[in-house]
Amino acid sequence: MESGKQLTGTLALAVFSAVLGSLQYGYSLGVINAPQKVIEQHYGRSLGVLPEEPLLLSENGTGTEKQEVHPSVVMYWSLSVSIFSIGGVVSSFLVGFIGDLRGRVKGMLMVNVLAVIAGLLMVMAKMWKPHVMVIAGRCVMGFYCGLSSGLVPMYIGEIAPMAYRGALGTLHQLAIVTGILLSQVLGLEFLLGNDYYWPLLLGLSGAPAVLQSLLLPLCPESPRYLYIKRGMVEEAKKSLRRLKGEYDPSADLEEMRREKEEVEKEVQVSIAILVCSISSLLNIWSIAV
């Protein structure tokens, strides 16, 4: 295989380490669904709208016989689910800033702190008010996932050789659906989706971040970030050789040089300018209609 186009061990490690963030995103997305009835019972007891008694599960593990759920429990449960998306929406606007601040690798390392905090909040849900702990943990986890879902494909797209860019790019989506599947399996009543282990089920959302934090320091920084954003040519060469093996990186560097020139010519568009532009287009459209 031509040098510079082969799939090296360092490249495989870097991609695997990055998609752990996508796996965590998928797990967090699906984990809240399976133990719904169990968690609602704990919410009800904490809020004082249900008696302090053990939760009795039916044979299929879906909970007790049909009973009316208190409006307060419904409200807090709905917030537990939706706060994840709200946190993700807010943090998604910061992906570019975090990625450019210290680099793609260090950016992913920085945001892993949020995932660990979120996991600890949820795993300790029984130690205080479950509805408060779970909502707080889900909010922080949503904030993390909004950042991770942008940083991961950004990093993979920048380090992948042209021949593998499409294939490696799909691993982000594959890891997400794998995380969803894993959360549904572990959420079965006879595994972790029961009255005793549901905090552990939710808290495992932060586990991939711990493994990722151990592996990312072994991964090279994105050469495109080093060259285009930081102008560090020699560091970009070293990163390319670590990712692709020993080869002549002149062609890749020339491509990045042209891309950098094109970027410098373009007008920088901020979120505020983008929102204002969309608002103006909507006003024009409404007038025309």
Side-chain angles (χ1 to χ4, degrees):
M1 186 177 291
E2 185 178 345
S3 180
K5 293 185 179 180
Q6 58 184 338
L7 186 62
T8 64
T10 303
L11 178 60
L13 174 64
V15 173
F16 173 77
S17 302
V19 297
L20 285 173
S22 305
L23 179 74
Q24 184 164 287
Y25 173 34
Y27 185 92
S28 301
L29 198 62
V31 73
I32 198 69
N33 298 315
Q36 176 180 351
K37 297 299 182 183
V38 178
I39 298 175
E40 284 180 344
Q41 289 281 340
H42 282 270
Y43 281 12
R45 294 179 210 160
S46 176
L47 293 166
V49 297
L50 283 179
E52 292 287 340
E53 58 183 16
L55 178 68
L56 299 176
L57 293 177
S58 60
E59 290 182 359
N60 60 9
T62 58
T64 57
E65 296 299 324
K66 285 188 176 180
Q67 60 180 33
E68 187 177 350
V69 182
H70 194 276
S72 298
V73 175
V74 174
M75 181 189 70
Y76 282 111
W77 172 256
S78 301
L79 189 57
S80 300
V81 176
S82 61
I83 198 71
F84 177 83
S85 300
I86 295 172
V89 168
V90 173
S91 64
S92 64
F93 292 105
L94 302 175
V95 171
F97 172 75
I98 296 295
D100 292 343
L101 181 64
R102 299 298 300 275
R104 311 330 188 197
V105 172
K106 290 182 179 178
M108 287 187 285
L109 278 171
M110 287 166 56
V111 301
N112 276 344
V113 175
L114 297 173
V116 174
I117 292 173
L120 290 174
L121 284 170
M122 289 185 285
V123 83
M124 296 187 296
K126 284 186 177 181
M127 298 176 66
W128 195 47
K129 297 179 179 180
H131 56 288
V132 176
M133 298 289 279
V134 171
I135 290 172
R138 292 278 296 172
C139 180
V140 177
M141 185 60 75
F143 200 87
Y144 160 81
C145 289
L147 293 169
S148 178
S149 62
L151 291 172
V152 170
M154 182 189 298
Y155 179 64
I156 293 176
E158 290 180 351
I159 66 173
M162 186 68 70
Y164 295 102
R165 193 163 294 169
L168 294 179
T170 61
L171 293 180
H172 170 61
Q173 289 81 8
L174 179 61
I176 291 175
V177 296
T178 302
I180 295 173
L181 174 62
L182 183 62
S183 71
Q184 297 303 301
V185 173
L186 291 179
L188 293 172
E189 189 270 333
F190 65 88
L191 290 177
L192 299 180
N194 51 56
D195 190 52
Y196 301 100
Y197 295 116
W198 68 266
L200 177 60
L201 176 68
L202 299 185
L204 283 175
S205 300
V210 177
L211 178 58
Q212 189 183 56
S213 297
L214 297 175
L215 295 177
L216 280 177
L218 305 176
C219 303
E221 182 54 83
S222 162
R224 305 186 85 82
Y225 166 77
L226 293 171
Y227 190 102
I228 297 173
K229 294 294 183 179
R230 301 293 299 277
M232 303 168 70
V233 180
E234 292 302 317
E235 285 76 4
K237 287 182 181 178
K238 292 177 183 177
S239 181
L240 284 169
R241 290 195 173 103
R242 285 188 64 190
L243 290 166
K244 299 184 178 183
E246 288 299 325
Y247 81 114
D248 183 6
S250 301
D252 287 331
L253 292 172
E254 177 61 23
E255 178 193 349
M256 285 187 265
R257 185 191 64 80
R258 292 196 299 268
E259 182 178 341
K260 183 178 181 181
E261 290 178 352
E262 291 298 323
V263 170
E264 290 174 347
K265 291 177 183 177
E266 294 178 357
V267 178
Q268 297 297 314
V269 179
S270 65
I271 295 296
I273 295 175
L274 181 62
V275 172
C276 290
S277 300
I278 294 174
S279 300
S280 300
L281 288 173
L282 290 175
N283 289 334
I284 296 172
W285 179 80
S286 62
I287 294 172
V289 172

